[in-house]
Every structure is written in structure tokens, then in C-alpha cells.
Amino acid sequence: MASEDDKYYSRNQDSLLLLCCLLCAAGDETVKLQEVEGTTITLHTGRTGIQSDAQILWSYGPEKAQKKILNSQVFKGETVTEISERFKERLQLDRTSGALTIRNISRNDSGVYLLQVIADDIISRTFSVSVYAPVSTPVIRNERGNGSVSSTEQCFLLCTVENGEDVKLSWYRGNERLSITNNTDLSVPLNLPLQIQLHDNNTNTYICVSANPVSNKTTSLNITQLCDHNSGTSESHF
Ligand SMILES: *[C@@H]1O[C@H](CO)[C@@H](O)[C@H](O)[C@H]1NC(C)=O
Ligand SMILES: *[C@@H]1O[C@H](CO)[C@@H](O)[C@H](O)[C@H]1NC(C)=O
Ligand SMILES: *[C@@H]1O[C@H](CO)[C@@H](O)[C@H](O)[C@H]1NC(C)=O
Ligand SMILES: *[C@@H]1O[C@H](CO)[C@@H](O)[C@H](O)[C@H]1NC(C)=O
Ligand SMILES: *[C@@H]1O[C@H](CO)[C@@H](O)[C@H](O)[C@H]1NC(C)=O
Ligand SMILES: *[C@@H]1O[C@H](CO)[C@@H](O)[C@H](O)[C@H]1NC(C)=O
Ligand SMILES: *[C@@H]1O[C@H](CO)[C@@H](O)[C@H](O)[C@H]1NC(C)=O
């Protein structure tokens, strides 16, 4: 621990900055994490060799780390660790690094986590954790049904996906993105239209992609299936 601190101090010659760092121990840089729900995550502290009799405190809150969720102290050589009801059975502490492992993380566990190690000095570290469900698979359908434009040269398509936190929906032609949409109103599905030309015996591949920070899903357009005006219609007579 001491050597790590020495390295740190030698990099920061500016004594004002150093003073500030000592005064606002909680003002450390926040570590940002994006995780898939249902998985096990570990909040790594980048430390080792925490004093064996140190008090280790983890706090959590959706916006601010206000509530103690784990408190580990040593009394007369015996370690006593208290864990809040909310996280009962799901937390594990590594006392040498301060790292916290959270099992089966849910979207409700998104928020700010704060570590405080209280020994001869106080060390703190803040984590911002965002937990997402894997994104849904988009569905492509033909929009011709309205009967407004009935062209044999164009095909009107609509790609749809269930909306969610930070979900984006895009159309690609090959590797080129043609359009993208998102919406902060999560109660309505995301919709993205696409109009393609059929006369140039279109050999391009079109895909619709839904994505959030932890996952993506792709649906390929089958032009034959969705844009062939002659199949499935009964206008074959003259
Ligand atoms: C994980 O948590 C969810 C609720 O968030 C619960 O329904 C599920 O049973 C849990 N799974 C395990 C393996 O504990
Ligand atoms: C998340 O929290 C809400 C309200 O507190 C609760 O109704 C819901 O069941 C929780 N979901 C999970 C997966 O824990
Ligand atoms: C079809 O109708 C719906 C609702 O009436 C409208 O939102 C949509 O834009 C129309 N699509 C086309 C291709 O005109
Ligand atoms: C779409 O996402 C961008 C960030 O990538 C954001 O700035 C914008 O406000 C979002 N738009 C909507 C409608 O949610
Ligand atoms: C593409 O369509 C044009 C006419 O629009 C035709 O001359 C050409 O042979 C077609 N190419 C293929 C590969 O089908
Ligand atoms: C989708 O996710 C895979 C990994 O699962 C990644 O390799 C790929 O680049 C992602 N695609 C997009 C368009 O984000
Ligand atoms: C596209 O759809 C047609 C008709 O439904 C089907 O015969 C064909 O196999 C599909 N092509 C692909 C690549 O899925």
C-alpha cells in the first residue's frame, strides 16, 4: 500500500492538488460499469493488502450512496460483517482488497456504490453501476397494408422492438447504417421505417439491429418474403 501511495505522490508534484485529494477523499474518480441482469459482478478496488483490522464499509443508493449495505469490522481479532436485508445472501467481501461481489444483480441494483476503508487513514472509491436486461429481437414487417402507396417498385418496411433503457434501433445496408432511433419514453415500442427500391434487382442485404450497452440482436430482411408483390396476391388475371 505504501509503495502505491509513494508512486501516486511522486506523479503529483502540485501540493495544492495533493491537499485537495487528502481533503476530499470521497471525490475520487467514479468507476462506471454496465452489466447484464442476473449475472455476478465484482466491484474491484485496485487495492491489495488492506490492513487486517481496518473497518470496511460499502454503501449504496440509486442516486447517492446513502445506505450502508455492508459493514465489516474487527473486534478483538474477530471479524463481524453486517449485510443489509436488501442484499442479504448476495454479497461477498474480500477483506484484503475491499472488493465486493454481488450475485444475481438486478436492474433494481443499478446506482452508486461507495467503498470506505477506515484504518489509519480513510480510503474511498465510488462506482456507478448500470444493470440492463438483454435487448429484445427486432421484428420486420411490410407496411404496404395501408394501401396509400401501392408501388411495384418500392417496398415499405417497418422494424419494431420493445423499448428499454438505452435501447437503440438501426437499419443497416451491408455495413452501412441507414438510420437509427431511440426514445426516452419506454412505454412505447421503437419503430423505424425503411423504404427500398425493388427495380434494381436489389441484392443488398438489409438488417435491423436492436442494441443496448450490454447486448444486441439482429433480424435480416428477407426481400422475397416481405416485398414480393406478386406472391400471395390474386391479381394474376388480365
Ligand atoms: C435472481 O433474482 C431474481 C429477482 O431479481 C429472482 O427472481 C431469481 O430467482 C434469482 N435467481 C437466483 C439464481 O437466485
Ligand atoms: C424492483 O423494485 C420494484 C419496486 O421496488 C419491485 O416491485 C420489483 O419487484 C423489483 N424487481 C426485482 C427484479 O427485484
Ligand atoms: C400506416 O398507417 C399507420 C397508422 O394509420 C401510420 O402510422 C403509418 O405511417 C402508415 N404507413 C405508411 C407506409 O403509410
Ligand atoms: C438518443 O440517445 C442520445 C445519446 O446517444 C441522446 O442524446 C438522445 O437524447 C436520445 N434521444 C431520445 C429521443 O431518447
Ligand atoms: C437486374 O435487372 C436488370 C433490369 O432491371 C436486368 O437487365 C439485369 O439482368 C438484372 N440483373 C440480375 C443479376 O438479375
Ligand atoms: C453486437 O454484439 C457483438 C458481441 O455480442 C459484437 O461483436 C458486435 O459488434 C455488436 N454489433 C453491434 C452492431 O453493436
Ligand atoms: C425468404 O423467404 C422465402 C419465402 O418465404 C423462403 O423461401 C426463403 O428461404 C427465405 N430466405 C431466407 C434467406 O431465409
Side-chain angles (χ1 to χ4, degrees):
M1 197 162 79
S3 67
E4 196 176 325
D5 286 347
D6 290 342
K7 239 189 299 172
Y8 179 75
Y9 292 148
S10 64
R11 267 188 274 125
N12 290 276
Q13 303 292 323
D14 188 343
S15 60
L16 250 181
L17 181 64
L18 176 59
L19 181 64
C20 176
C21 285
L22 289 172
L23 289 177
C24 348
D28 279 359
E29 205 178 304
T30 299
V31 179
K32 289 201 164 67
L33 298 170
Q34 296 176 320
E35 307 288 345
V36 184
E37 69 175 352
T39 57
T40 294
I41 74 163
T42 298
L43 305 179
H44 293 285
T45 60
R47 299 236 159 215
T48 51
I50 286 176
Q51 241 171 275
S52 61
D53 62 349
Q55 178 186 6
I56 301 179
L57 196 59
W58 276 96
S59 312
Y60 162 80
E63 261 124 49
K64 276 188 186 167
Q66 290 165 319
K67 282 192 138 176
K68 274 185 212 170
I69 58 168
L70 182 146
N71 186 6
S72 182
Q73 283 173 281
V74 178
F75 293 112
K76 296 178 180 160
E78 202 173 319
T79 306
V80 178
T81 302
E82 296 165 319
I83 298 177
S84 74
E85 201 54 47
R86 190 184 190 291
F87 285 91
K88 209 101 199 160
E89 314 291 326
R90 293 200 291 135
L91 297 187
Q92 200 176 323
L93 177 72
D94 176 352
R95 278 196 56 96
T96 50
S97 67
L100 184 69
T101 297
I102 308 170
R103 277 195 297 276
N104 191 19
I105 197 157
S106 85
R107 274 177 282 171
N108 283 357
D109 301 331
S110 288
V112 181
Y113 290 79
L114 171 69
L115 164 71
Q116 287 165 295
V117 178
I118 302 150
D120 296 339
D121 54 0
I122 300 181
I123 299 162
S124 72
R125 188 151 195 149
T126 309
F127 298 79
S128 165
V129 179
S130 304
V131 182
Y132 298 90
V135 75
S136 302
T137 304
V139 173
I140 304 172
R141 61 168 197 266
N142 191 305
E143 266 285 272
R144 186 172 37 138
N146 290 8
S148 48
V149 189
S150 180
S151 164
T152 51
E153 296 187 340
Q154 292 180 332
C155 184
F156 296 90
L157 299 152
L158 189 69
C159 184
T160 302
V161 77
E162 197 185 312
N163 200 4
E165 210 71 53
D166 297 337
V167 170
K168 289 178 184 169
L169 187 65
S170 317
W171 272 110
Y172 284 83
R173 177 173 56 211
N175 291 324
E176 177 197 1
R177 185 164 68 206
L178 302 172
S179 53
I180 184 163
T181 188
N182 61 352
N183 193 337
T184 47
D185 179 354
L186 306 184
S187 65
V188 284
L190 288 176
N191 286 314
L192 194 58
L194 177 71
Q195 181 180 341
I196 62 168
Q197 307 298 319
L198 297 174
H199 62 250
D200 56 353
N201 43 32
N202 208 328
T203 56
N204 291 306
T205 55
Y206 293 88
I207 58 171
C208 185
V209 180
S210 57
N212 70 6
V214 297
S215 62
N216 66 60
K217 298 272 167 59
T218 295
T219 300
S220 303
L221 167 64
N222 182 331
I223 295 181
T224 319
Q225 191 184 17
L226 287 178
C227 298
D228 188 344
H229 292 243
N230 297 317
S231 72
T233 63
S234 58
E235 38 190 44
S236 52
H237 63 89
F238 287 83

